[in-house]
Amino acid sequence: GYKGTPSAVAELVDNAIEAEASVIDLRVDLQPDPSLHRIRVAVIDNGKGMNAKTLRQALRFGGTERFNQRTGLGRFGMGLPNASLSQAQRVEVYTWTKKGGVIASYLDVDEVASGDLQEIPTPKRASLPEWIGTLNSPSGTVVVWERCDRLDNRRPSTIRRKLAAHLGRTFRHLIWGGVKIVIDGDEVQPIDPLFLHKHSITTGASEFQSWEIPVRVDPDQQRSGIGTVQVTFSELPVHRWHGLSKKEKRQKGITGGAGVSVVRAGREVDYGWFFLGSKTRQNYDEWWRAEVRFDPVLDEAFGIEHTKQHIRPASHLIAGLQPHMELVARTLNARVRKV
């Protein structure tokens, strides 16, 4: 159910952030044994770690202590096993709540298929894999994907580049808030598709309009929750950037970048042509951007999926956002035409 390797890795980053990690270290390692799927991936965090019971639960499909929780990134309990086995035949998890107390368990597709593995193995005391090296955090978790047979790419350099771009954009708000994501020693830089934030690889736009509206989860149920939706439109500097070459526009993210970024609890969950009604996408629309941020209480209204990659907005949400968003989009399109 994942769009690709970066989306699957993002699930593990979600888990690390939920575990209150401030540093998330990704490793893309090339194994020396040519008989194996040679790339293995590790996600290392300095979060609060897990005890044995929580570790077994985390490796179960649908197992979580945060089921239906609406305060953070986790909710469904599918992230760790689903994301891992979408990319690899084996996932190993090492975790500790105090120094020197590492425990580990795993899931292995081949062992499940053969019948050798019929339940999540009881976590046991373990040492971290030698290739991970020494970790100094008093608590944390290491997730290792072994026998990676479904990665998008075979070259570690390509995987690193695509991970940096995806994670930098998906978690931009959380990076601005202090979370540090590192890929093989290189810190991931935030990417703002609106070109607004000064601490972003992409910057230079100006805010055109921003507003907030309260939205009820279910308009037919007066006791259902109410969340806030924040909408922001930005306008790119057409006068300064229209003369850039095609390559430069592509590198900046102008070409092909038209659309609306949908952000849940500080994490981008989708990007597309949302809430814009009958307005069709045109080349002129590459010169403006929009972002819709919402509270997790509105998951049902936005139709959020458990993989946090797609939305399917409810009709009452579309009715509440579309008229004004479509009007602003048409206004920005017209402004670009006049340049």
Side-chain angles (χ1 to χ4, degrees), residues 257-262 270-286 288-289 311 313 325-326 329-330 333:
V260 179
S261 172
V262 182
D270 209 343
Y271 195 98
W273 203 247
F274 300 113
F275 309 112
L276 299 175
S278 61
K279 192 198 174 312
T280 57
R281 190 180 338 210
Q282 301 171 335
N283 290 339
Y284 295 105
D285 296 315
E286 293 179 345
W288 60 266
R289 298 288 191 275
I311 63 164
M325 287 189 66
E326 181 178 353
R330 292 185 182 278
N333 181 286

Side-chain angles (χ1 to χ4, degrees), residues 5-6 26-30 39-41 153-168 182-186 188:
T5 299
L26 278 64
R27 312 273 182 89
V28 183
D29 181 65
L30 197 60
I39 294 177
R40 57 187 169 191
V41 176
N153 305 98
R154 296 183 179 182
R155 294 172 62 92
S157 59
T158 304
I159 294 173
R160 293 185 192 107
R161 175 172 52 81
K162 292 188 175 182
L163 282 175
H166 182 84
L167 300 179
V182 179
I183 302 175
D184 286 324
D186 294 325
V188 171

Side-chain angles (χ1 to χ4, degrees), residues 10-30:
E11 278 281 7
L12 304 190
V13 175
D14 284 342
N15 291 344
I17 293 171
E18 281 286 349
E20 301 175 11
S22 60
V23 179
I24 302 156
D25 183 8
L26 278 64
R27 312 273 182 89
V28 183
D29 181 65
L30 197 60

Side-chain angles (χ1 to χ4, degrees), residues 59-208:
L59 282 166
R60 293 190 178 106
F61 286 91
T64 179
E65 293 184 332
R66 299 187 298 268
F67 189 78
N68 213 28
Q69 178 177 300
R70 304 304 182 99
T71 58
L73 302 181
R75 176 186 162 197
F76 300 99
M78 299 289 282
L80 175 56
N82 201 32
S84 299
L85 299 186
S86 76
Q87 304 295 310
Q89 296 177 18
R90 180 183 175 93
V91 55
E92 300 172 353
V93 182
Y94 303 81
T95 188
W96 62 103
T97 58
K98 59 182 179 179
K99 270 199 168 184
V102 177
I103 58 173
S105 188
Y106 71 96
L107 272 175
D108 190 297
V109 171
D110 290 343
E111 291 186 26
V112 172
S114 67
D116 293 335
L117 187 66
Q118 298 184 8
E119 62 179 1
I120 307 299
T122 301
K124 297 180 179 179
R125 292 294 297 269
S127 298
L128 293 175
E130 190 173 319
W131 64 278
I132 293 294
T134 303
L135 302 178
N136 296 318
S137 61
S139 59
T141 298
V142 176
V143 179
V144 179
W145 292 349
E146 296 278 5
R147 305 202 309 274
C148 295
D149 59 338
R150 294 187 176 185
L151 299 176
D152 293 345
N153 305 98
R154 296 183 179 182
R155 294 172 62 92
S157 59
T158 304
I159 294 173
R160 293 185 192 107
R161 175 172 52 81
K162 292 188 175 182
L163 282 175
H166 182 84
L167 300 179
R169 179 164 146 174
T170 299
F171 296 102
R172 59 187 184 271
H173 289 282
L174 294 159
I175 294 173
W176 292 327
V179 173
K180 183 178 180 181
I181 303 175
V182 179
I183 302 175
D184 286 324
D186 294 325
E187 191 169 344
V188 171
Q189 299 302 309
I191 300 172
D192 182 7
L194 272 68
F195 293 78
L196 285 175
H197 203 283
K198 63 180 180 180
H199 297 301
S200 170
I201 293 176
T202 55
T203 189
S206 57
E207 184 177 303
F208 181 75

Side-chain angles (χ1 to χ4, degrees), residues 203-206 235-244 252 287 339:
T203 189
S206 57
E235 189 172 29
L236 277 59
V238 185
H239 290 285
R240 286 194 287 121
W241 290 356
H242 79 280
L244 296 176
K252 271 188 171 291
W287 293 98
V339 174

